[in-house]
Coordinates of all heavy atoms in Angstrom, one line a residue:
S110 N 4.3 -17.6 7.3 CA 5.3 -18.3 6.5 C 5.8 -19.7 7.1 O 6.0 -19.7 8.3 CB 6.6 -17.4 6.3 OG 7.6 -18.1 5.6
F111 N 6.0 -20.6 6.3 CA 6.5 -21.9 6.7 C 7.9 -21.7 7.3 O 8.3 -22.4 8.2 CB 6.6 -22.8 5.5 CG 7.5 -24.1 5.7 CD1 6.9 -25.2 6.2 CD2 8.8 -24.1 5.3 CE1 7.7 -26.3 6.4 CE2 9.6 -25.2 5.5 CZ 9.0 -26.3 6.0
F112 N 8.7 -20.8 6.7 CA 10.1 -20.6 7.2 C 10.1 -20.0 8.6 O 11.2 -20.1 9.2 CB 10.8 -19.6 6.2 CG 10.9 -20.2 4.8 CD1 10.3 -19.4 3.7 CD2 11.4 -21.4 4.5 CE1 10.4 -19.9 2.4 CE2 11.4 -21.9 3.2 CZ 10.9 -21.2 2.2
L113 N 9.0 -19.5 9.1 CA 9.0 -19.0 10.4 C 8.6 -20.1 11.5 O 9.4 -20.3 12.4 CB 8.0 -17.9 10.5 CG 7.9 -17.1 11.8 CD1 9.2 -16.3 12.1 CD2 6.7 -16.2 11.8
T114 N 7.5 -20.8 11.2 CA 7.0 -21.7 12.3 C 7.2 -23.2 11.9 O 7.0 -24.0 12.7 CB 5.6 -21.4 12.6 OG1 4.8 -21.6 11.4 CG2 5.4 -20.0 13.0
G115 N 7.5 -23.4 10.6 CA 7.5 -24.8 10.1 C 6.2 -25.3 9.6 O 6.2 -26.4 9.1
T116 N 5.2 -24.5 9.8 CA 3.8 -24.9 9.3 C 3.2 -23.7 8.6 O 3.0 -22.7 9.3 CB 2.9 -25.4 10.4 OG1 3.5 -26.5 11.0 CG2 1.6 -25.8 9.8
Q117 N 2.9 -23.8 7.4 CA 2.3 -22.6 6.7 C 1.0 -22.3 7.3 O 0.1 -23.2 7.5 CB 2.2 -22.9 5.2 CG 1.7 -21.7 4.4 CD 1.7 -21.9 2.9 OE1 1.8 -23.0 2.5 NE2 1.6 -20.9 2.2
G118 N 0.8 -21.0 7.6 CA -0.5 -20.6 8.2 C -0.5 -20.6 9.7 O -1.5 -20.1 10.3
K119 N 0.6 -21.1 10.4 CA 0.6 -21.2 11.8 C 1.3 -19.9 12.4 O 2.4 -19.6 12.0 CB 1.4 -22.4 12.3 CG 1.5 -22.6 13.8 CD 2.2 -23.8 14.2 CE 2.4 -23.9 15.7 NZ 3.2 -25.1 16.1
A120 N 0.7 -19.3 13.3 CA 1.3 -18.1 13.9 C 2.3 -18.5 15.0 O 2.2 -19.6 15.5 CB 0.2 -17.2 14.6
P121 N 3.2 -17.6 15.3 CA 4.2 -17.9 16.4 C 3.5 -18.0 17.7 O 2.4 -17.4 18.0 CB 5.1 -16.6 16.4 CG 4.9 -15.9 15.1 CD 3.5 -16.3 14.7
E122 N 4.0 -18.9 18.6 CA 3.5 -19.2 19.9 C 4.6 -19.2 20.9 O 5.5 -19.9 20.8 CB 2.7 -20.5 20.0 CG 1.5 -20.6 19.1 CD 0.9 -22.0 19.2 OE1 1.3 -22.8 20.0 OE2 0.0 -22.3 18.4
P123 N 4.5 -18.3 22.0 CA 3.5 -17.3 22.2 C 3.5 -16.2 21.1 O 4.5 -16.0 20.4 CB 3.8 -16.7 23.5 CG 5.3 -16.9 23.7 CD 5.6 -18.2 23.0
Y124 N 2.3 -15.6 20.9 CA 2.2 -14.7 19.7 C 3.1 -13.5 19.8 O 3.2 -12.9 20.8 CB 0.8 -14.3 19.6 CG 0.6 -13.3 18.4 CD1 0.5 -13.7 17.1 CD2 0.6 -11.9 18.7 CE1 0.4 -12.8 16.1 CE2 0.5 -11.0 17.7 CZ 0.5 -11.4 16.4 OH 0.4 -10.5 15.3
Y125 N 3.7 -13.2 18.7 CA 4.3 -11.9 18.5 C 4.4 -11.6 17.0 O 4.2 -12.5 16.2 CB 5.7 -11.8 19.1 CG 6.9 -12.3 18.2 CD1 7.8 -11.5 17.7 CD2 7.0 -13.7 17.9 CE1 8.9 -11.9 17.0 CE2 8.0 -14.2 17.1 CZ 9.0 -13.3 16.6 OH 10.0 -13.7 15.9
D126 N 4.5 -10.4 16.6 CA 4.6 -10.0 15.2 C 6.1 -9.8 14.9 O 6.7 -8.8 15.3 CB 3.8 -8.7 15.0 CG 3.7 -8.3 13.5 OD1 4.7 -8.5 12.8 OD2 2.7 -7.7 13.1
P127 N 6.7 -10.7 14.1 CA 8.1 -10.6 13.8 C 8.5 -9.3 13.2 O 9.6 -8.7 13.5 CB 8.4 -11.8 12.9 CG 7.4 -12.8 13.3 CD 6.1 -12.0 13.6
L128 N 7.7 -8.8 12.2 CA 8.1 -7.6 11.5 C 8.1 -6.4 12.5 O 9.0 -5.6 12.5 CB 7.1 -7.3 10.4 CG 7.4 -6.0 9.6 CD1 8.8 -5.8 9.1 CD2 6.4 -5.8 8.4
Q129 N 7.1 -6.3 13.3 CA 7.1 -5.2 14.3 C 8.3 -5.3 15.2 O 8.9 -4.3 15.6 CB 5.7 -5.2 15.1 CG 5.6 -4.1 16.0 CD 5.5 -2.7 15.3 OE1 4.9 -2.7 14.2 NE2 6.1 -1.7 15.9
F130 N 8.6 -6.5 15.6 CA 9.8 -6.7 16.5 C 11.0 -6.2 15.8 O 11.9 -5.5 16.4 CB 9.9 -8.2 16.8 CG 11.1 -8.5 17.7 CD1 10.9 -8.4 19.1 CD2 12.3 -8.9 17.2 CE1 12.0 -8.7 20.0 CE2 13.4 -9.2 18.0 CZ 13.2 -9.1 19.4
W131 N 11.2 -6.6 14.5 CA 12.4 -6.1 13.8 C 12.5 -4.6 13.6 O 13.5 -4.0 13.7 CB 12.4 -6.8 12.4 CG 13.0 -8.2 12.4 CD1 12.5 -9.4 12.8 CD2 14.4 -8.5 12.0 NE1 13.4 -10.4 12.7 CE2 14.5 -9.9 12.2 CE3 15.5 -7.8 11.6 CZ2 15.7 -10.6 11.9 CZ3 16.7 -8.4 11.3 CH2 16.8 -9.8 11.5
I132 N 11.3 -4.0 13.3 CA 11.3 -2.6 13.1 C 11.7 -1.9 14.4 O 12.6 -1.0 14.4 CB 9.9 -2.1 12.7 CG1 9.5 -2.6 11.3 CG2 9.8 -0.6 12.8 CD1 8.1 -2.4 10.9
E133 N 11.1 -2.2 15.5 CA 11.5 -1.5 16.8 C 12.9 -1.8 17.2 O 13.6 -0.8 17.6 CB 10.5 -2.0 17.9 CG 9.1 -1.6 17.8 CD 8.9 -0.1 17.9 OE1 9.7 0.5 18.6 OE2 8.0 0.4 17.2
A134 N 13.4 -3.0 17.0 CA 14.8 -3.3 17.4 C 15.8 -2.6 16.5 O 16.8 -2.1 16.9 CB 15.0 -4.8 17.4
A135 N 15.4 -2.5 15.2 CA 16.3 -1.8 14.2 C 16.4 -0.3 14.5 O 17.5 0.3 14.6 CB 15.9 -2.1 12.8
H136 N 15.2 0.3 14.7 CA 15.2 1.7 15.0 C 15.9 2.1 16.3 O 16.5 3.1 16.4 CB 13.7 2.2 15.0 CG 13.1 2.2 13.6 ND1 11.8 2.5 13.4 CD2 13.7 2.0 12.4 CE1 11.5 2.5 12.1 NE2 12.7 2.1 11.4
D137 N 15.7 1.2 17.3 CA 16.4 1.5 18.6 C 17.9 1.4 18.4 O 18.7 2.0 19.2 CB 16.0 0.4 19.6 CG 14.6 0.7 20.2 OD1 14.1 1.8 20.0 OD2 14.1 -0.2 20.8
R138 N 18.4 0.9 17.3 CA 19.9 0.8 17.1 C 20.3 1.8 16.0 O 21.4 1.7 15.5 CB 20.3 -0.6 16.7 CG 20.2 -1.6 17.9 CD 20.0 -3.0 17.5 NE 20.0 -3.9 18.7 CZ 19.0 -4.0 19.5 NH1 17.9 -3.4 19.3 NH2 19.1 -4.8 20.6
G139 N 19.4 2.7 15.6 CA 19.7 3.6 14.6 C 19.8 3.1 13.2 O 20.4 3.6 12.3

């Protein structure tokens, strides 16, 4: 998403998967 990196098609650098990050962090907080 453009709303993530400012360029459509560009992955985060350094790489991480935002959805996986949100899932783990949410579940760790119940």
Side-chain angles (χ1 to χ4, degrees):
S110 177
F111 167 87
F112 301 121
L113 184 68
T114 63
T116 302
Q117 187 175 13
K119 180 182 177 182
E122 296 178 8
Y124 175 82
Y125 85 114
D126 186 325
L128 176 54
Q129 187 62 39
F130 181 86
W131 273 82
I132 291 169
E133 291 296 326
H136 289 173
D137 284 345
R138 288 157 179 77

